[in-house]
Amino acid sequence: MRMVPTVLRSLLREIRQRLGAILLLGALGAVGSGLLVGMLAVYYDLDASRARFYREQRLADFSLSLKRAPRSALEQVRRHPGVRHLEGRVRIEARVDLPDSPEPITSTALSLPRIRRPVLNDILLVSGTWFEGTRDDQTILNDAFARAHDLRPGDHLEALIMGRQQRLLVVGTALAPEFVYVLPPAGGMVPDPARTGVLYLPLDTLQDWAGLNGAFNEFLGLAWDLRPVPLRNTLKDLERQLDPYGVALSLTGEEMPSVQFLANELHELQTSATLLPALCLGVVGLVLHIVTGRMVTQQRTTIGTLRALGYTRTFIVRHYLGYGLVVGLGSALAGLALGLWIQSAMVRLYQDYFELPPFQPALYPGLLAGALGVGVLFAMAGTVQAALRASRMNPAEAMRPPAPEKGGRIFLERVRVLWEFLPFWGKLVLRSIFRNPFRSMVAILTSLAATALLVESLCMMAAMHAMIDHEFRHTSHQDLTVALREPVGRDILSELGALPGITEVEPQLVVSADLSRGAREKRTGLTGLVEGNRLFTPLDEQGQPLRVPEEGLVLARKLAEILGVVPGDTLRLRPLIGTRQIREAPVVAVVDTYMGLGAWCRLEYLSRLIGEDWAANAILLDLANPRPDRALLEELARRPGVVGVEQRVRALEKIQQLMDQNFGTSLFILILFSGLLAFGSVLNTAMVSLEERQREVGTLRVLGYTPERVALVFATEIALLSAVGIGLGLWAGVGLVHLVVQAYSRELFRLPAVIPPEALFQSAAVMVLFVALAQVVVWRLVARMPWLAVFKVRE
Amino acid sequence: MAIEGGERKTHMEAQPQPLLTVRSISKIYRMGEVEVPALREVDLEIFESEFLVILGPSGSGKSTLLNMIGGMDRPSSGQVLFGEQDLTRASDRQLTLFRRHQIGFVFQFFNLVPSLTALENVQVATDIARDPLPAREALRIVGLEDRASHFPSQLSGGQQQRVAIARALSANPRLLLCDEPTGNLDTATGAQVMELLERLNQDRGKTVVVITHNALVSRMANRTAEIRDGRIVRLDIQQHRESARSLPW
């Protein structure tokens, strides 16, 4: 029984001897397991918190926007066999005046029952109370908005609701499942809590103010069948039944912006949680494979002796697998600790980012055990081959000194001219690379993966910036966008144009419409442009402004594909405002744009389609001073019929701020990650190579080579392998960008595949930096190597 | 001792200055808490163009002595002088240059680079030497010009050792240091290698120091220093050297 401890001691001693290499591998493994544990745990936390919130506050499965539907209509559609439950509520615009905001804030007023009872899209009170008594002037605010303006229960605020100025008492603040990700109501891609007001008021109050006594303008419902197609069909039925009440928009739960955004975030988290750890642990396995393979070669005499002494094959296998076990277990345990830390840090981050009820990072024993298992498995898989090879050694043969290392030519030597000119160390390097193809391949693949990862993230960042530029600089040129509740006539142009400081006015008509051809149907927004449009110029992918003919539609490629139309075809078109009469409209052109579902036509043409002569529901303004003063904003916002006033520069700043924050952090982490990957793998390759060629190092040193010259041999090997890896990685990165862009190409918009040369350059530079760091370590190893010991008679 | 004195005189006439002087060096290795003396106050002079044999059983300290002479290690006390240069005070860099330009090493295990051909192995030395022999010329001298493109694994032990000698020779060193050059060879091959060293000494005037446990080798030498337990216990001078070929290997 003493056998085991003795050999275990020898295992530990071997590990101590290679401590540097082991620690490096361990760190890489720990990062892999840590990311796996941390990110998956956050995924579970977030997913559970979301599910609980949606369930407890009863997130609706669908919503229908209406003009005005009486209770009888509600009772009528409630009987639809697909509907499990249906409720009505009132949603109207409100403009909130706050002393800390330069202009009125476009907000949403939503109804809630005066006496608390469970409803769909319910709220979770964070502070204060529910409505009290019969007063009309009380409101519950969404919590993020209240925090952004430091509003608390007991405070008052001024709001313009349906043309009437109201002084409201804040009685409470709340979270809501439909506003987990708070996007401004006037549109935008970035949360802006300070400009996203949601005011809850008692149902009867809102019905009264909106002139909807006994009626609703929004239905929320639960459905029996939540699969996308049946749900869509149910909604179509409901739309048909509710047509007399002016259905404007129906959304399934998944189409609601906040729900969609949160789902995307979770999906991406899940992808990263598998991809990055797999990469790390894979490299650990491959490098261990190389290291243990080398160990077995080196220790063949010992293995032979042990076998001669009567140790079994199983014992030998166990011994070398033990190496993987120790590395795997050690790194996985460290990874668990790291993972728990990542989890709590990310949970904190997400708490700020999403308006979810507070949640704590939970402990997932199954996940921890799984990650431990995966970490150990990867490491042991790396040692299996060496262990088996060791066990197959014949004791008598293994005890004899090894046959001299094989020389032999590599194919490059056939290129005589080249070969003759190489200094001897160049030959050493090339032969070493080609005689250890597996090791060389691992070094190349690792730097390839790390480089590709860097290229991909830098390019995606560039793509986002390109999109923003496309949208905010090249397409939109206006300073302000005034959104109107209803389409209005030409008078608005002279009316707004007369305001001080306005230099140019451009009308726009944006209409939601159902487009169909045969059985294919798609709901999208049609944008009507005036001739000679200057403030809003949609572009195709080449950056050319779209030319819109007097008659007919211009469709984005994706939309045309969905509908199966080509230029010359005719579409059926049913606008969701105005007369709602079905019209025929010819498709004049199909263009490639980043806006996948875009459809454009002349404003006059679109006006006729909705039964008007000339109509506009958005007015773009160019100002003498791009930063509008408060007086102008107030003047605009107070006009009846104005739904919102959006400042282009402000929206741009907000989105850039968010991009810099988000991408900045993740880019930093990714650079570190890629760096560690490259550094770890390259260094390990060099260390194995160094150990294998100790005798060469000693010989060279005796012959009068300086440590620098000797290190140059190894440095050249690393440099060559990394250079190939980085070069291929740049290619692979570009390929990856195209793949990711394709994967992300959703209906709403597509990302351009942007490959800025500086992204390639920066990726390569980061890689070169980390490889150079590894070189420094190699140089120190060579300089400190006890080369004299090599000449002592062999064991 | 009288003989030694007389002999010293003749040397003094021919070569008044020794090429290398070892003055009272000791070397103590520390193995954990135990101190192991490998050399104790050793004195030795090596003269230009002589064939010196350092004879001793294994563990006697002869390899340690060779390490000191070759600038691979420093003594715990005492001095090693190469001409005017004190090797004991030289920096690592200076020792490196000393080995590069003044010493040619031949090892028991050849220490060829397995991934380089015979010719390339010699070039490893000529690449950094100041005034080297052409690598092919060195191979010709050891009789291996037709094996230039063979890898070590394709050569016999004797051939490998001859490549190693060619490598040592090619840098045109003042001193050839050979550590058990025949220790890993069969007797016939070993004899050939010794003949080669003899030729280099006699025809080319190379100073050759051979470390061995084989007393027979000392019959080829000008002088033999016998070393035991870290001390030189005897220094023999031989008037009539026997040729390697004539020895009963």
Side-chain angles (χ1 to χ4, degrees), chain B residues 14-61:
Chain B
Q15 277 137 0
Q17 289 296 317
L19 181 63
L20 190 134
T21 311
V22 172
R23 220 175 257 165
S24 175
I25 59 169
S26 298
K27 179 73 183 177
I28 296 160
Y29 288 111
R30 252 170 264 278
M31 310 281 230
E33 281 152 40
V34 194
E35 291 193 345
V36 183
L39 288 178
R40 311 167 198 242
E41 313 233 321
V42 171
D43 288 293
L44 187 69
E45 288 173 325
I46 299 170
F47 297 97
E48 191 91 51
S49 296
E50 76 166 328
F51 197 113
L52 173 69
V53 169
I54 298 175
L55 186 68
S58 69
S60 58

Side-chain angles (χ1 to χ4, degrees), chain A residues 5-211:
Chain A
T6 313
V7 177
L8 186 66
R9 225 176 298 141
S10 110
L11 177 69
L12 291 177
R13 210 167 290 146
E14 275 160 19
I15 287 175
R16 210 177 311 136
Q17 269 170 14
R18 295 182 165 80
L19 201 59
I22 299 287
L23 282 181
L24 198 64
L25 266 182
L28 207 54
V31 168
S33 309
L35 286 175
L36 184 70
V37 168
M39 292 170 96
L40 271 186
V42 170
Y43 172 81
Y44 292 150
D45 283 338
L46 202 54
D47 192 37
S49 166
R50 169 180 76 159
R52 194 183 323 119
F53 194 35
Y54 286 179
R55 189 177 61 243
E56 287 175 2
Q57 312 312 128
R58 286 171 298 279
L59 180 73
D61 295 334
F62 62 86
S63 70
L64 291 149
S65 303
L66 307 143
K67 232 179 159 64
R68 179 196 168 96
R71 183 161 288 282
S72 57
L74 181 74
E75 298 303 336
Q76 180 200 334
V77 292
R78 200 176 252 168
R79 286 194 292 271
H80 186 281
V83 175
R84 187 151 66 101
H85 180 69
L86 198 70
E87 291 175 3
R89 72 174 179 181
V90 175
R91 172 198 282 263
I92 51 179
E93 289 105 31
R95 242 158 291 145
V96 177
D97 251 327
L98 287 171
D100 64 353
S101 162
E103 74 273 350
I105 298 159
T106 308
S107 307
T108 308
L110 287 171
S111 68
L112 281 173
R114 185 177 286 277
I115 313 269
R116 180 157 209 185
R117 62 182 168 78
V119 289
L120 293 180
N121 287 6
D122 209 345
I123 59 168
L124 179 70
L125 275 173
V126 175
S127 66
T129 61
W130 199 263
F131 311 119
E132 278 168 10
T134 54
R135 290 171 57 169
D136 278 339
D137 63 343
Q138 41 184 338
T139 184
I140 297 169
L141 297 179
N142 74 327
D143 193 59
F145 179 72
R147 283 200 317 270
H149 295 287
D150 201 19
L151 288 167
R152 296 197 181 89
D155 291 344
H156 283 86
L157 58 83
E158 297 277 330
L160 184 72
I161 300 176
M162 297 303 286
R164 266 184 290 182
Q165 194 70 30
Q166 307 283 358
R167 188 175 152 78
L168 299 173
L169 171 69
V170 178
V171 295
T173 65
L175 300 171
E178 58 188 319
F179 299 111
V180 170
Y181 189 72
V182 278
L183 293 163
M189 305 190 251
V190 193
D192 191 353
R195 296 186 47 79
T196 312
V198 181
L199 289 71
Y200 295 93
L201 286 121
L203 174 66
D204 54 302
T205 304
L206 271 192
Q207 281 177 325
D208 182 25
W209 290 353

Side-chain angles (χ1 to χ4, degrees), chain A residues 438-739:
Chain A
F438 184 81
R439 190 201 303 164
S440 305
M441 202 89 86
V442 170
I444 289 175
L445 278 180
T446 315
S447 33
L448 185 153
T451 313
L453 215 58
L454 280 174
V455 170
E456 191 262 347
S457 17
L458 286 171
C459 286
M460 288 326 278
M461 197 164 135
M464 293 300 281
H465 278 295
M467 274 297 294
I468 292 169
D469 266 10
H470 182 88
E471 192 52 33
F472 286 93
R473 291 192 207 279
H474 304 308
T475 304
S476 307
H477 311 281
Q478 78 280 14
D479 291 320
L480 291 178
T481 307
V482 179
L484 305 171
R485 184 175 302 118
E486 303 279 337
V488 297
R490 257 181 234 277
D491 291 348
I492 188 83
L493 298 182
S494 48
E495 194 186 318
L496 293 184
L499 291 175
I502 292 176
T503 54
E504 200 166 340
V505 182
E506 187 175 303
Q508 218 177 53
L509 180 59
V510 183
V511 173
S512 286
D514 286 327
L515 303 180
S516 62
R517 180 178 163 83
R520 302 190 185 204
E521 191 184 8
K522 189 74 202 170
R523 177 169 295 180
T524 189
L526 275 169
T527 307
L529 308 168
V530 284
E531 189 179 7
N533 53 324
R534 287 195 348 102
L535 296 185
F536 182 76
T537 53
L539 305 172
D540 64 18
E541 281 183 12
Q542 278 69 49
Q544 298 299 314
L546 297 188
R547 284 208 204 103
V548 180
E550 279 186 31
E551 302 268 316
L553 306 175
V554 175
L555 300 188
R557 170 96 44 215
K558 184 90 184 182
L559 180 60
E561 280 169 13
I562 291 173
L563 294 168
V565 292
V566 294
D569 288 349
T570 303
L571 279 176
R572 286 155 58 85
L573 185 154
R574 179 173 167 272
L576 296 177
I577 57 170
T579 58
R580 297 169 175 251
Q581 305 264 309
I582 293 174
R583 305 293 181 97
E584 304 256 299
V587 176
V588 189
V590 171
V591 292
D592 289 303
T593 78
Y594 297 128
M595 299 296 137
L597 292 185
W600 300 269
C601 60
R602 269 297 161 71
L603 179 128
E604 293 81 359
Y605 177 74
L606 187 56
S607 300
R608 288 201 297 280
L609 289 178
I610 62 168
E612 304 273 343
D613 255 358
W614 192 102
N617 58 4
I619 311 297
L620 314 180
L621 301 175
D622 209 17
L623 306 180
N625 171 14
R627 295 250 170 212
D629 52 32
R630 191 183 162 98
L632 176 65
L633 289 172
E634 269 180 33
E635 173 63 39
L636 287 171
R638 278 183 204 301
R639 271 160 201 275
V642 171
V643 183
V645 180
E646 173 84 13
Q647 301 176 45
R648 183 176 57 90
V649 176
R650 189 190 148 94
L652 176 62
E653 281 169 358
K654 197 80 197 170
I655 196 167
Q656 278 175 337
Q657 194 187 338
L658 185 93
M659 291 261 307
D660 290 348
Q661 260 174 25
N662 280 13
F663 272 106
T665 320
S666 55
L667 196 67
F668 177 73
I669 291 172
L670 215 82
I671 285 178
L672 275 187
F673 176 81
S674 312
L676 181 67
L677 209 60
F679 179 81
S681 149
V682 157
L683 191 56
N684 254 299
T685 312
M687 280 159 99
V688 171
S689 191
L690 194 62
E691 192 183 286
E692 206 170 272
R693 288 146 71 184
Q694 272 183 10
R695 236 180 144 68
E696 270 173 47
V697 173
T699 307
L700 292 176
R701 296 280 282 122
V702 169
L703 289 176
Y705 279 80
T706 58
E708 294 80 17
R709 282 294 292 270
V710 178
L712 187 68
V713 176
F714 295 92
T716 311
E717 186 173 337
I718 295 177
L720 273 179
L721 291 174
S722 319
V724 172
I726 293 170
L728 293 175
L730 293 178
W731 280 100
V734 170
L736 195 60
V737 168
H738 285 281
L739 273 178

Side-chain angles (χ1 to χ4, degrees), chain B residues 3-5 11 16 28 31 53 65-66 89 109 114 120 132 134 144 149 157-158 188 204-205 212 228:
Chain B
I3 300 170
E4 193 189 328
H11 269 288
I28 296 160
M31 310 281 230
V53 169
L65 180 57
L66 181 104
R89 292 175 177 222
F109 295 106
E120 289 161 0
L144 282 177
S149 58
R204 297 181 170 264
T212 183
R228 241 171 245 279

